Amino acid sequence: MENGRADTVQIRQVLLLFVLLGMSQAGSESGHFSVAEEMQSGSFVGNLAKDLGLEVGELVSRGAQVVSNDNKRRLQLDINNGDLLLSESLDREELCGSTEPCVLHFQVLMKNPLQFLRIELQVRDINDHSPVFLEKEMLLEIPENSPVGAVFLLESAKDLDVGINALKNYTISPNSYFHIKMRVNPDNRKYPELVLDKALDYEEQSELSFILTALDGGSPARSGTASVRVVVVDVNDNSPEFEQPFYEVKIPENSILGLIIVTVSAWDLDSGKNGEVSYSFSHASEDIRKTFEINQKSGEISLTASMDFETIESYSIIIQATDGGGLFGKSTVRIQVMDVNDNAPEIAVSSITSPIPENLPETVVMVFSIRDRDSGDNGRMICSIPENLPFIVKSSVENYYTLETERMLDRESQAEYNITITVTDLGTPRLKTQHNITVTVSDVNDNAPAFSQAAYTLRVRENNSPALHIGSVSATDRDSGANAQVTYSLLPPQDPQLPLASLVSINADNGQLFALRSLDFEALRAFEFRVGAADRGSPALSSQALVRVLVVDDNDNSPFVLYPLQNGSAPCTELVPRAAEAGYLVTKVVAVDGDSGQNAWLSYQLLKATEPGLFGVWAHSGEVRTARLLSERDAVKHRLVVLVKDNGEPPLSASVTLHVLLVDGFSQPYLPLPDAAAAEARADPLTVYLVVALASVSSLFLFSVLVFVAVRLCRRSRAASGGGCSVPEGPFPGHLVDVSGAGTLSHSYQYEVCLRGDSGTGEFKFLKPIIPNLPPQCPGKESEENPTFHNSFGFNM
C-alpha cells in the first residue's frame, strides 16, 4: 500500500512539472545551440550562462537542471561553469529522419524561483551514409528498333543524409549506347534516366551491362553502385536466306523410298520465333507432291515414290523458307533422274561375338556375307570399315567375310566400338550398303589400385579421444566390377618397435583411418606406416602408400621449477645487502615446460610479496631484482611468490616461493668466488653446482679465518695494550676484509674485523662498512649499530 501511494505521488509531481513547463514556455527566454551528429558523449555543446546572460553562481544557487519532454537525458549541465555537454552520441537520422533542420527542444528548470528557459539544439548532419540502391541489379528489356533518344527510367538510390551530404548525381560506366540524365521530382527526389544514344541491333549485340554509380555531395563524397543489364529484344527485320540459290541433284532411278535426296538450309538472323524457319514446296505440281516430300523443320527432301527415267528425266522444285513473322526466301532444287545401276549390295550377318575379353590376340568378331543382284561391274563389290578402328575385314570363301581384331583391346582405353561396315559396288554410279554393329569389350583384372597420393601426411592433436577419425586414403582401380572393388589394409610396420596395431586402424571399405588410443606428443611426436589397397579380381592386384602421422602438441604440461627446489626440504634463503642499489640481482627462477612451441614459452610474474614494490621479476628471464633502494625501515625477512606461466591456450602455471633476507653486510663464507660462480652457472645438474658452491664458500671462509688469526698474532707482539686496534698507514685500515662484488652482490664493500679478546669462543665481528679516509672503531662489546649475526658454522658475524 505504501509503495503504491509513493508511486502515485511521484506521477502527480511529474505531471505538475510538465504542466508548469508548458505554461512557462511562451514567455521564457530561449537558447540556440548547434552540434554535429555522432560526436562522442561528453562533447562540449555551448555555455548556457553566456548564451542566456546568466551568472554561473546563479545556476548553482537556483538549482538549474536540463529536462526534456520525452524524459531522455541527451544533455547535461555542468552548473560549476555553465557548460552544456552531450550525455550520449546523437544520430541525426535516428532522431529526425529526413527532416531538416533537425532541432531538439529542451528546457532549463530554475527552481528558486521557479523559471523555465527553452533550449533548441540543432543536430547538424555529417556525411556518414553512402547512397544505397535497393536493387543491386536492374534489368531492362529494350526492343532493337527503339529510336535514338528514347528514355528509360532506372531505380533511384537512397541516402539517409540531408542537405549537401544528400544524393547529388548519377553516373554510368563509359559506353557508346547510353548516357545518364538525372530528373528531379516535385518532392525533390532525384531519379536517373537512361537515354539511348545509338541504335541497338540484336544481331550485333544481344545484351549490354553497365555500372550505375550514385554520388552524394559530401566531402569526401560517398558513392553506391548497382549493375544495369540491358537485354535487347529482337524484332523481325531479317528474311530467311538460303545457303545456295540453286541446288542440283542427280539420283538413280531405282533409289529406295525414303532416301534423303538433298537437304536445303536457310538461316534467319532474328531470334525466337522470328528466327524459326520452316520449309515447304511452292507452286509444286501433282507429280512432285507424290514423288517427293520435304521436312518442314530440317529441310530434308526425301523420296516417297519410285521414279522412272523413261517417264520423267528431271524435276524442278521451288523451296520456300518462311520465318515466324511471315517473311520468306526462295531457292530452286533440280533433281535429275539417272538410268544407272539400281540394285544396292546386301549384307547378311551369320554370327556376332560380343562382348570380347580384353588382352586377347586376334579374335573373330563377326561373320557375314555380301551380294549384289546386278551383274558385271555392277555386281562386283568392295567391303570396308573406317581406318581408325583396331579391326580388319578379311575375305573368306566366295562372298563370305570375317571381322577380326587387329590387336589386343584395352577396355580401360575404350570399352565400346561402333563399327560401320560399308559395301560398295563398282557400278556407275556406285551403290553402297552400310551395316552398323556395336562391339563391347569385357574387363580383365589387369590394373592394380592406384592411390591418389604416394604419401599422405595427417595431423592429429594429442590427448585425442579414442576411435577419432584422423584422415583417409583413397585408391581407384581402372577396371570394372569386382576387379575395381578396392579393399584397404594396414601393412606390417618396418619398425618392429612401433605398436601400429594399438595406434591406428583402417576401414577396409572406404580407407578411413582412426586413432585407437589417445596420443601423447611428449612420448610420440610422429610415426609412419604403409597401407595397402587390393582389388577383388582373380588374381588380386594391390599397391601401397605411405602414411605419416604428425602429433600436434597440446598444452598439457605445466611449467616445472628447477630452481629454487620445491621438494619440501628446508627453503633456500637469498641474502641481499641493504646497500644494494635498484636493479640488484637477487636470484633467478629457472623453470622448464615439457610442451613445445608457444606452449613452452614461459613468462614470470611476481604474484605475492611481503612488501609490494620492493622486488620485481623480469617477465622473460625469471630474474628477481630489487625495484628500488633499500632502507632501514624495510623488514629483514621477505617472502616472494613467483608465478611461472606458459603461453598455451589455455595457459598453465606453477608457483615458487622465495625467501629473501636483508643483511647489513656479507661475511666471506656467503660470497662465492668468481670461478665458483661461473662453474655454478655452467653446471647442468642442480646437485653439482650446489656442491661446488658449498665447497667454495667453505674454503673461502677457512682462508679468511687463517689470515685473520695470522694478522692478529703479528700485531699482538707490537701492541702496547690490548684494548684497541691500531690504524696502519695508508688510505684504508690494514685489518679490513675486502668483499668484492661477486655472486649476487653488485658492489664491493670493506668491513672492519675485530677479535674479542675476552671471549672464550672463536667469535669475530663484521662491523658496518668502512668509508675511506675515516679511522675505524672497534668496540669492546656488541652495540645496536653493529649487530652480530650467527652463521651456520658457529661463528658470530
Side-chain angles (χ1 to χ4, degrees), residues 235-403:
V235 175
N236 191 27
D237 55 350
N238 293 279
S239 299
E241 295 184 6
F242 281 91
E243 292 181 350
Q244 301 177 219
F246 182 79
Y247 294 85
E248 185 173 4
V249 181
K250 295 180 180 180
I251 60 173
E253 58 178 336
N254 58 349
S255 298
I256 59 175
L257 300 180
L259 176 67
I260 297 175
I261 301 173
V262 68
T263 300
V264 296
S265 178
W267 71 88
D268 194 308
L269 296 178
D270 297 320
S271 64
K273 291 184 178 181
N274 296 330
E276 295 179 358
V277 178
S278 61
Y279 302 92
S280 62
F281 294 146
S282 177
H283 305 289
S285 63
E286 186 68 20
D287 293 335
I288 293 176
R289 295 184 180 276
K290 286 182 179 180
T291 310
F292 304 99
E293 184 181 55
I294 187 168
N295 188 309
Q296 294 184 357
K297 297 296 183 182
S298 64
E300 297 175 343
I301 300 175
S302 58
L303 185 64
T304 58
S306 300
M307 296 179 298
D308 186 2
F309 176 78
E310 288 73 22
T311 303
I312 301 176
E313 294 185 0
S314 64
Y315 299 87
S316 293
I317 307 173
I318 299 176
I319 308 299
Q320 178 173 304
T322 307
D323 62 20
L327 300 181
F328 60 88
K330 291 185 178 182
S331 180
T332 301
V333 177
R334 182 175 180 178
I335 301 176
Q336 183 177 354
V337 181
M338 300 176 62
D339 187 15
V340 292
N341 181 23
D342 56 354
N343 290 287
E346 299 176 2
I347 300 176
V349 178
S350 299
S351 65
I352 297 179
T353 303
S354 182
I356 302 174
E358 63 176 331
N359 299 337
L360 287 181
E362 297 179 359
T363 305
V364 176
V365 179
M366 175 181 175
V367 178
F368 62 97
S369 63
I370 61 175
R371 70 170 184 171
D372 193 314
R373 298 182 183 276
D374 298 322
S375 60
D377 290 341
N378 294 332
R380 291 197 298 268
M381 297 164 289
I382 299 174
C383 183
S384 64
I385 60 174
E387 296 180 355
N388 59 345
L389 296 177
F391 299 91
I392 59 173
V393 176
K394 293 184 178 180
S395 176
S396 184
V397 295
E398 296 183 356
N399 288 331
Y400 279 87
Y401 290 83
T402 58
L403 178 65

Side-chain angles (χ1 to χ4, degrees), residues 32 38 41 47 80 244 297 332 461 490 493 619 630 656 737:
H32 301 276
E38 305 295 345
S41 176
N47 189 276
N80 295 322
Q244 301 177 219
K297 297 296 183 182
T332 301
R461 187 172 292 278
L490 296 177
L630 303 180
V656 59
V737 177

Side-chain angles (χ1 to χ4, degrees), residues 573-581 584-587 615 626 630 636 659-673 697 700-701 704 736-753 764-770 787-791 793 795-797:
T573 301
E574 305 293 342
L575 302 181
V576 179
R578 288 187 179 273
E581 297 182 354
Y584 177 85
L585 176 62
V586 178
T587 186
F615 299 97
T626 57
L630 303 180
V636 175
H659 296 274
V660 180
L661 183 63
L662 304 184
V663 297
D664 287 330
F666 283 167
S667 64
Q668 196 68 11
Y670 280 105
L671 302 176
L673 292 174
V697 171
L700 184 60
F701 173 75
S704 301
L736 299 180
V737 177
D738 180 78
V739 181
S740 60
T744 59
L745 293 178
S746 59
H747 297 280
S748 298
Y749 296 91
Q750 290 184 328
Y751 292 85
E752 181 185 0
V753 181
F764 65 95
K765 289 188 176 182
F766 283 85
L767 303 181
K768 58 185 179 181
I770 298 300
T788 302
F789 294 88
H790 295 272
N791 61 11
F793 295 98
F795 289 88
N796 292 335
M797 300 171 56

Side-chain angles (χ1 to χ4, degrees), residues 61-81:
S61 62
R62 299 183 63 182
Q65 67 182 66
V66 178
V67 297
S68 62
N69 293 336
D70 56 4
N71 202 25
K72 292 186 178 180
R73 296 179 57 85
R74 296 189 177 94
L75 290 178
Q76 59 183 358
L77 175 61
D78 190 344
I79 60 177
N80 295 322
N81 53 23

Side-chain angles (χ1 to χ4, degrees), residues 188-199:
N188 205 30
R189 295 189 62 184
K190 299 177 181 179
Y191 292 86
E193 292 180 339
L194 194 64
V195 182
L196 183 63
D197 296 332
K198 177 182 176 182

Side-chain angles (χ1 to χ4, degrees), residues 615-650:
F615 299 97
V617 178
W618 287 28
H620 300 293
S621 65
E623 293 181 352
V624 180
R625 295 181 180 269
T626 57
R628 59 174 174 80
L629 291 174
L630 303 180
S631 65
E632 295 295 336
R633 292 191 299 271
D634 291 330
V636 175
K637 296 182 179 180
H638 293 266
R639 180 175 177 269
L640 309 179
V641 179
V642 178
L643 180 68
V644 185
K645 183 171 62 175
D646 60 27
N647 197 38
E649 186 63 35

Side-chain angles (χ1 to χ4, degrees), residues 712-733:
R712 186 64 179 174
L713 293 177
C714 180
R715 292 191 178 185
R716 179 175 295 180
S717 60
R718 305 176 188 175
S721 64
C725 296
S726 61
V727 180
E729 296 180 357
F732 295 97

